[in-house]
Amino acid sequence: MTDAQRPNSTPPSTPRMPPPPPPGRMAGAPSTPDMGQMTQQISSPPAPNTSATRVNPTPATAGNSSLSGMNTAVVKPPPMPSAPPAGHRPAAPPPPQAGRSKASPGQPTLEQLVKEAYDKGFSDVHLGVAEIPRFRNRGEIETTDYPVTDSDTFFSWMQEILSDAEIQRFKDTLDFDGATQYEFARVRINIFDSLYGPSMVMRLIPLKILTIEQLNLPQVFKELCHYHKGLILVTGPTGSGKSTTMAAMIDYMNKEMPRHIVTIEDPIEFVHKSQKALIKQREVGIHTLKFDAALKASLREDPDVILIGEMRDKETVNTALKAAQTGHLVIGTLHTNSAVKTIERILGLFEPEQQDPMRLAIAESLVAVVSQGLCRTTDGKRAAFHDILINTDAIRDYIRKGDLDEVEALIPRCTFDGMCTMNQALYKLYEAGRITEETALEMSPKTNEMAQILRGRV
């Protein structure tokens, strides 16, 4: 800038600016002096230029004339002043990189997250890269105040619960199922890969097994435990409490009956210690390779009761029916929403020409089907409601003939045998004041029928 261009309002004592920039500089961009030179000029009279310090000014950012925006290249910078000049504002730190956690890896630890969920009575912990940790509270997902999880933090959590070989197995297959145990709870683990990176879901399993009375289950559950042979199916969607119900039944047998109980699970959830009964628990992937192979082997292990964590295919179902026909009590699970649909699901696993003999096998082997759901209660907890089918003589005849519609119509009229529908169970909870009318309608599989029951029309 030349003297002719300098505004008249500039005080005479203002130091002269360095010579104009060399060719190639941004047109119109003002040149700025070095910070140390500017300080020296303010505190003392101007001094002639020396060869000790050469300043090669560079253009400031367009539109920004503040001192914090200056960018100077100094060959030999002068010593920095002990205090910044008046009016100087230090540059703001750069914003954190998007999607990265402000917490150091592993803070909080995985054990701290699980302990918090356990103390608050939550059922699941949801973790994932680029996501905020979340908990499941009585069926609903709740967010937390923790920062977004980055990859380093997630893998530090994995190292808390998995061995190096298990971590490598996850990297190779992108899926992992397992379980771990803390002092306060046992945890079922599923790790999987997703769009933004690996994720983890942890299901909390209490170390203390609740009894049938503590779960407020109907008396018919105890009666089912006294059968010596046959097939009992406990069904329902994921998270409906099937494992908790079966654990209560096994615990009742363990305390009351001198039996040999073999469980085949993936993974082992509730851990039982032999009392009056002898209990052997096997985990698929660790103690055996397949459900079907472990089930066939269990027939040679002198069992009285065989618990199958999940009946996934027709081979497992077929072996379970044979075990029930040869004098064993078999307890298994399926993911179905009602008792009658459970029978339809089993038959649907087989070819049409195989369904008639399978229908006869089910009619002869079946003891009961219990389909279960969970609903939120008015006291801040959850309660189970059931669709219970007991294989009486009349039910057996209908199954043998394939008249499943008649079976469904007969269940609500046989409450004296311990049977009930989900609507009847929900209405009983509503009458006891444990659930609201809205909850009963929301959880009902037949909403119109539930509405009529609530209005006293059924």
Side-chain angles (χ1 to χ4, degrees):
M1 183 179 298
T2 63
D3 291 337
Q5 294 173 326
R6 189 178 305 279
N8 294 331
S9 59
T10 305
S13 60
T14 303
R16 295 179 61 84
M17 304 298 289
R25 171 171 296 167
M26 183 186 304
S31 61
T32 54
D34 175 69
M35 180 71 71
Q37 184 181 4
M38 186 72 172
T39 305
Q40 183 180 4
Q41 291 172 344
I42 293 175
S43 59
S44 60
N49 221 355
T50 66
S51 60
T53 301
R54 272 192 310 117
V55 179
N56 182 20
T58 57
T61 305
N64 181 11
S65 59
S66 65
L67 295 180
S68 60
M70 289 189 288
N71 182 15
T72 59
V74 181
V75 177
K76 184 179 179 182
M80 294 297 295
S82 58
H88 174 67
R89 296 172 59 191
Q97 184 176 350
R100 297 212 37 111
S101 170
K102 296 180 182 179
S104 60
Q107 295 296 328
T109 65
L110 188 61
E111 183 176 356
Q112 289 172 340
L113 288 170
V114 176
K115 185 64 165 63
E116 180 179 345
Y118 174 80
D119 290 340
K120 294 181 177 179
F122 298 154
S123 60
D124 298 84
V125 179
H126 289 254
L127 307 170
V129 173
E131 296 287 351
I132 297 172
R134 289 170 166 84
F135 298 132
R136 182 174 290 279
N137 178 18
R138 295 195 300 160
E140 296 184 356
I141 294 291
E142 287 190 2
T143 58
T144 65
D145 296 329
Y146 294 107
V148 173
T149 303
D150 61 15
S151 180
D152 293 339
T153 299
F154 188 87
F155 277 95
S156 73
W157 288 339
M158 289 179 60
Q159 290 172 352
E160 289 187 41
I161 55 176
L162 303 183
S163 65
D164 292 340
E166 290 172 330
I167 293 177
Q168 186 59 46
R169 190 171 75 193
F170 165 72
K171 292 179 178 179
D172 294 338
T173 64
L174 302 181
D175 286 291
F176 179 84
D177 276 311
T180 188
Q181 185 162 325
Y182 297 98
E183 293 181 357
F184 50 88
R186 186 170 174 83
V187 179
R188 189 179 72 193
I189 306 165
N190 179 265
I191 308 175
F192 57 97
D193 201 16
S194 62
L195 179 63
Y196 296 109
S199 299
M200 180 190 310
V201 179
M202 307 181 74
R203 170 68 54 83
L204 274 67
I205 304 167
L207 297 179
K208 181 181 178 181
I209 300 174
L210 298 180
T211 64
I212 291 177
E213 291 82 8
Q214 289 171 329
L215 293 173
N216 293 315
L217 298 178
Q219 184 65 25
V220 69
F221 281 84
K222 283 188 176 181
E223 298 173 5
L224 295 177
C225 294
H226 286 274
Y227 279 80
H228 292 280
K229 63 179 180 179
L231 178 63
I232 299 174
L233 297 175
V234 182
T235 73
T238 302
S240 60
K242 301 185 298 294
S243 298
T244 304
T245 296
M246 290 195 301
M249 296 174 69
I250 295 296
D251 183 65
Y252 175 74
M253 297 181 196
N254 188 23
K255 294 175 180 176
E256 302 293 335
M257 305 171 191
R259 294 179 172 181
H260 181 205
I261 303 172
V262 177
T263 74
I264 307 167
E265 305 171 71
D266 183 20
I268 293 174
E269 296 185 341
F270 291 91
V271 177
H272 300 269
K273 185 177 180 181
S274 299
Q275 299 182 39
K276 196 168 186 177
L278 173 63
I279 299 182
K280 299 293 181 63
Q281 295 183 263
R282 307 186 69 191
E283 181 169 326
V284 176
I286 297 180
H287 310 121
T288 183
L289 298 180
K290 292 176 59 180
F291 270 109
D292 183 44
L295 182 56
K296 290 179 180 178
S298 68
L299 299 178
R300 298 186 294 272
E301 295 164 4
D302 187 32
D304 297 296
V305 181
I306 304 172
L307 184 144
I308 308 172
E310 185 175 351
M311 299 170 66
R312 298 177 174 176
D313 48 45
K314 66 179 182 180
E315 288 80 11
T316 305
V317 170
N318 198 18
T319 307
L321 286 171
K322 290 180 179 178
Q325 290 173 329
T326 54
H328 305 88
L329 181 62
V330 180
I331 305 174
T333 67
L334 284 171
H335 291 93
T336 52
N337 296 324
S338 73
V340 173
K341 287 182 180 179
T342 301
I343 300 175
E344 294 176 350
R345 173 70 62 85
I346 293 176
L347 292 174
L349 294 174
F350 297 89
E351 301 298 329
E353 61 273 11
Q354 297 176 316
Q355 290 187 6
D356 284 341
M358 289 308 302
R359 189 180 295 110
L360 294 176
I362 293 172
E364 295 301 324
S365 304
L366 187 66
V367 172
V369 181
V370 178
S371 186
Q372 178 169 307
L374 288 178
C375 61
R376 298 166 68 95
T377 58
T378 55
D379 58 357
K381 299 179 181 179
R382 290 199 291 179
F385 57 96
H386 304 93
D387 189 21
I388 302 176
L389 165 66
I390 306 297
N391 192 19
T392 61
D393 291 339
I395 296 291
R396 184 178 295 108
D397 288 339
Y398 283 131
I399 293 177
R400 190 182 294 114
K401 297 175 184 177
D403 294 335
L404 297 183
D405 290 338
E406 294 293 335
V407 172
E408 188 170 9
L410 189 61
I411 291 176
R413 302 199 299 266
C414 296
T415 55
F416 52 89
D417 288 318
M419 297 192 228
C420 71
T421 65
M422 285 190 172
N423 278 349
Q424 288 175 323
L426 286 168
Y427 184 69
K428 188 175 181 180
L429 291 172
Y430 169 73
E431 278 191 319
R434 300 191 64 195
I435 64 174
T436 63
E437 180 177 340
E438 291 76 13
T439 301
L441 290 170
E442 177 186 356
M443 303 305 299
S444 171
K446 298 179 180 179
T447 307
N448 291 336
E449 180 185 281
M450 187 76 246
Q452 293 179 349
I453 293 175
L454 291 171
R455 294 180 177 87
R457 297 178 182 176
V458 176

